Amino acid sequence: SRPAQAGPTVSSQRPRVISHGLLHMAVLGLWALILAVALVGSCMLDFARGFEGPELWKVTFHKVWIRSFDDTLLSAVAHVPVRKATFESFPVVFFMNSWALSEFEYIIEATRIAEHGYIVFEYATRGFGLSGGRVGAAGPNDQRDISEVISFVLSQREWHPDTNKLGLAGISYGGGLSLIGAALDNRIKVAIAMSGWQSLKEALFKNRSPNQVWGNVLMASGFLTGRME
């Protein structure tokens, strides 16, 4: 007779299932931040090259907080040139952060622009950087914040802003907000949207088909550095 063969060993322990979803999202978020920083450096270098001339202004640096319409505090940095003459006033450039970045995103190039006679005001949209509130993805609260920020800067008479020369600028998320702000607030004379967007719906759900890759990247990086709703 044949000897009995041992059957396969069956473990009473349940197999351990490892989910890579969180790890995958974290990696995507990290890569998104790296790409954003590289894009910021490239775009801002090109932006600053447009300023020429040997005569520079001294610049003062101000860390400020803006209380918006719903008492949310927005964190901002102002680069203000020092007057050379009593009649002098300065155009104002408002910078808004890219997705998942902060109010310090443009700080190096902002100083260089201010040295050429511009007030440069960069602020973090709600939910990012040191600003309060929750990320609203360019929703109604973000849109109202733009006008609140503009009014705040124009109220700083000691900075001598030129009320007829106001511009919005930003990269990616900030670029889209720049276009929205220019459409909603007639005090803005120009908008500079670098790698911006016109419609989040079209960008992420074109032809009713969700862009899963970019959706995951934005969600991961948003949760990584911001306070999402």
Side-chain angles (χ1 to χ4, degrees):
S1 63
R2 290 184 178 182
Q5 295 183 354
T9 303
V10 179
S11 173
S12 60
Q13 295 181 347
R14 297 180 61 185
R16 186 174 59 178
V17 178
I18 301 175
S19 174
H20 297 280
L22 292 178
L23 178 61
H24 180 65
M25 290 184 69
V27 171
L28 284 176
L30 180 60
W31 273 111
L33 288 179
I34 293 173
L35 290 173
V37 170
L39 179 64
V40 167
S42 175
C43 290
M44 289 307 302
L45 183 59
D46 291 338
F47 187 82
R49 282 174 182 157
F51 298 95
E52 297 180 355
E55 189 176 6
L56 301 178
W57 278 257
K58 292 181 179 179
V59 176
T60 59
F61 179 89
H62 307 264
K63 177 68 187 75
V64 298
W65 296 90
I66 303 169
R67 190 173 297 278
S68 195
F69 66 95
D70 60 352
D71 286 335
T72 297
L73 286 177
L74 303 177
S75 178
V77 177
H79 307 259
V80 182
V82 178
R83 261 183 168 183
K84 295 180 180 179
T86 55
F87 60 84
E88 201 169 27
S89 60
F90 304 105
V92 185
V93 180
F94 298 88
F95 276 113
M96 287 166 283
N97 59 287
S98 302
W99 182 265
L101 297 182
S102 74
E103 65 272 33
F104 303 105
E105 176 180 355
Y106 311 97
I107 194 165
I108 296 176
E109 297 302 338
T111 301
R112 293 180 59 186
I113 296 170
E115 288 175 344
H116 288 82
Y118 291 77
I119 295 172
V120 183
F121 195 85
E122 43 182 340
Y123 79 96
T125 55
R126 56 177 63 211
F128 286 125
L130 299 177
S131 290
R134 298 282 180 177
V135 176
N141 290 342
D142 294 298
Q143 296 171 21
R144 290 186 64 178
D145 287 341
I146 297 172
S147 292
E148 293 287 333
V149 169
I150 295 170
S151 297
F152 173 84
V153 172
L154 295 184
S155 70
Q156 307 304 304
R157 300 296 179 86
E158 67 276 14
W159 294 353
H160 312 293
D162 188 333
T163 58
N164 295 314
K165 296 179 180 179
L166 309 178
L168 297 173
I171 298 173
S172 187
Y173 183 56
L177 279 170
S178 298
L179 296 177
I180 293 174
L184 296 178
D185 197 312
N186 59 16
R187 293 174 293 182
I188 295 300
K189 305 305 180 187
V190 63
I192 303 172
M194 295 172 277
S195 298
W197 47 271
Q198 296 176 329
S199 168
L200 280 180
K201 181 179 179 180
E202 285 297 311
L204 297 177
F205 299 94
K206 191 171 184 178
N207 297 325
R208 298 183 181 180
S209 178
N211 189 327
Q212 188 172 1
V213 173
W214 271 111
N216 287 337
V217 168
L218 294 174
M219 291 296 291
S221 56
F223 279 109
L224 187 65
T225 66
R227 292 163 299 283
M228 303 284 282
E229 287 187 343

